[in-house]
Amino acid sequence: MLIVMSHKATKEQLDAVVQAVERMGLRAAPIPGSERTAVGVLGNEGYIDDLTIRDLPGIQQIIHVSKPYKMVSRDFHPQSSVVNVAGVRIGAGCRPVVAAGPCAVEGEEQIIRTARAVKAAGADLLRGGAYKPRTGPHTFQGLGEAGLSLLAAAGRESGLPVVTEVMSPDHVGLVAAHADLLQVGARNMQNFDLLKELGRAAKPVLLKRGMSATIEEFLASAEYILAGGNPDVILCERGIRTFETATRNTLDLSIVPLIKEFSHLPIMVDPSHATGKRSLVPPMAKAALVAGAHGLLIEVHPEPEKALSDGPQSLTPQGFAALMADLGRLHAFLGV
Ligand code: PEP
Ligand code: MN
């Protein structure tokens, strides 16, 4: 950390800053300049909380050199991580995976039909929400525990590991008993109690990017899970809020190569929630693979027009099979 003093700062103010740094158990190295003095802070391991310093008089600016995350960073862990989800390997050097299924589990027939269809088309994982984070309380909220059981049964029947969302720290044990991969939705990316509980879970986590989260905030949330003792985190870009209203969100594909620079964790892309529009899902899925995504999360519904949530962005089984055939050709072309 570098503390830049104002050009009007007095010797007493500089001394007070030096003492405050030393009270934190760190070393302060004043660097006098022609116009102002800067104070280099040394001896820290990782990010410094500047709370007790930032309001001291005479300070013009505090520049953080270390990031608010460490365990997820590539500096700390140069080798890319591969996460094993019930035998499906996700990450660098692995064939990109596809998790597919409905937004929500709506009933036995719906989830079994979808599971069979996505399995036949080549999906690696089955998705389906049982606890749904809906914007308003008057819409379908998911089947809860019954939905978890139906999803797990469809996964067993089709031979696909399952991924589903967990919204509350109290449900982590229950969801982990049914699912192979625990999803944190965009709206809960900064639910810190949930992240801490997932740090203690024995199942891998799919952490979706918050609607307005910066890359730094996204990685700091992943850090909670790793710091809690769970190393198996997969990141997922699902579009961010911008001024644009023609699409549901704006897919930020540049995050894919950028995450690979900053972090060793795998990164997947969800073109369904990113666009909100069925016709845009296949082209954005392909673009995500070209950008280097380690996997895709795609909503598929046997009858999208009857879906209780996210029908407009759900592919039909036929549409999904066509996309999977295209992705196969793309894998061959990209050599992944
Ligand atoms: C979902 O995957 O069904 C979902 C609710 O996604 P997000 O949290 O990205 O909106
Ligand atoms: Mn959805």
Side-chain angles (χ1 to χ4, degrees):
M1 189 167 83
L2 192 68
I3 304 167
V4 182
M5 303 299 293
S6 147
H7 68 280
K8 292 195 205 126
T10 63
K11 168 88 174 62
E12 288 68 33
Q13 288 173 338
L14 177 64
D15 289 346
V17 167
V18 168
Q19 283 159 20
V21 169
E22 288 172 351
R23 274 199 300 277
M24 293 170 74
L26 301 168
R27 277 183 297 127
I31 310 161
S34 56
E35 300 212 347
R36 54 176 60 82
T37 296
V39 181
V41 179
L42 308 166
N44 56 302
E45 271 194 44
Y47 189 77
I48 303 172
D49 185 350
D50 63 20
L51 185 73
T52 55
I53 299 179
R54 68 170 85 121
D55 290 332
L56 291 177
I59 292 178
Q60 179 182 305
Q61 194 189 2
I62 294 184
I63 302 169
H64 286 274
V65 180
S66 303
K67 302 279 184 207
Y69 53 85
K70 174 178 173 183
M71 297 177 75
V72 305
S73 78
R74 223 181 244 290
D75 301 339
F76 178 77
H77 189 295
Q79 205 189 340
S80 298
S81 290
V82 170
V83 174
N84 189 325
V85 180
V88 175
R89 288 163 52 78
I90 304 176
C94 308
R95 186 182 48 81
V97 299
V98 177
C103 180
V105 178
E106 298 168 358
E108 185 172 7
E109 205 224 319
Q110 174 245 19
I111 192 65
I112 292 274
R113 263 176 82 188
T114 314
R116 288 181 186 152
V118 300
K119 168 75 180 178
D124 304 280
L125 297 159
L126 175 66
R127 65 147 285 150
Y131 296 95
K132 293 305 302 174
R134 304 305 303 282
T135 301
H138 305 300
T139 52
F140 178 58
Q141 301 287 305
L143 297 181
E145 198 171 341
L148 289 179
S149 302
L150 293 174
L151 178 69
R156 278 193 301 275
E157 208 248 12
S158 58
L160 294 173
V162 299
V163 49
T164 196
E165 177 158 354
V166 53
M167 284 169 53
S168 134
D170 301 342
H171 285 159
V172 169
L174 175 68
V175 176
H178 289 87
D180 302 292
L181 178 60
L182 310 178
Q183 177 172 321
V184 178
R187 292 156 192 79
N188 271 315
M189 188 204 81
Q190 288 188 316
N191 179 339
F192 300 115
D193 285 340
L194 177 61
L195 301 177
K196 286 178 190 166
E197 195 57 40
L198 288 165
R200 293 186 277 270
K203 290 278 169 79
V205 176
L206 180 70
L207 178 66
K208 298 188 89 174
R209 182 184 188 179
M211 317 229 211
S212 307
T214 63
I215 292 179
E216 188 164 293
E217 288 162 344
F218 191 17
L219 290 174
S221 285
E223 182 86 2
Y224 269 92
I225 304 171
L226 269 74
N230 185 351
D232 293 325
V233 175
I234 302 163
L235 303 167
C236 183
E237 159 66 25
R238 46 77 72 205
I240 48 174
R241 276 275 162 87
T242 68
F243 54 84
E244 184 55 72
T245 54
T247 47
R248 182 173 178 182
N249 292 291
T250 296
L251 178 55
D252 177 15
L253 271 188
S254 61
I255 197 178
V256 174
L258 205 52
I259 285 285
K260 290 180 173 183
E261 285 180 25
F262 293 166
S263 176
H264 54 92
L265 298 176
I267 169 100
M268 290 177 59
V269 170
D270 170 353
S272 305
H273 293 88
T275 62
K277 204 165 149 39
R278 184 175 308 120
S279 63
L280 301 182
V281 172
M284 292 300 102
K286 293 173 205 167
L289 282 195
V290 174
H294 297 121
L296 299 167
L297 191 69
I298 296 178
E299 286 187 339
V300 179
H301 194 287
E303 294 170 281
E305 63 290 349
K306 295 193 186 144
L308 298 181
S309 60
D310 288 351
Q313 69 197 31
S314 298
L315 298 184
T316 60
Q318 297 76 6
F320 179 68
L323 170 60
M324 289 300 281
D326 278 358
L327 294 183
R329 285 188 282 276
L330 190 55
H331 289 173
F333 176 75
L334 294 171
V336 293

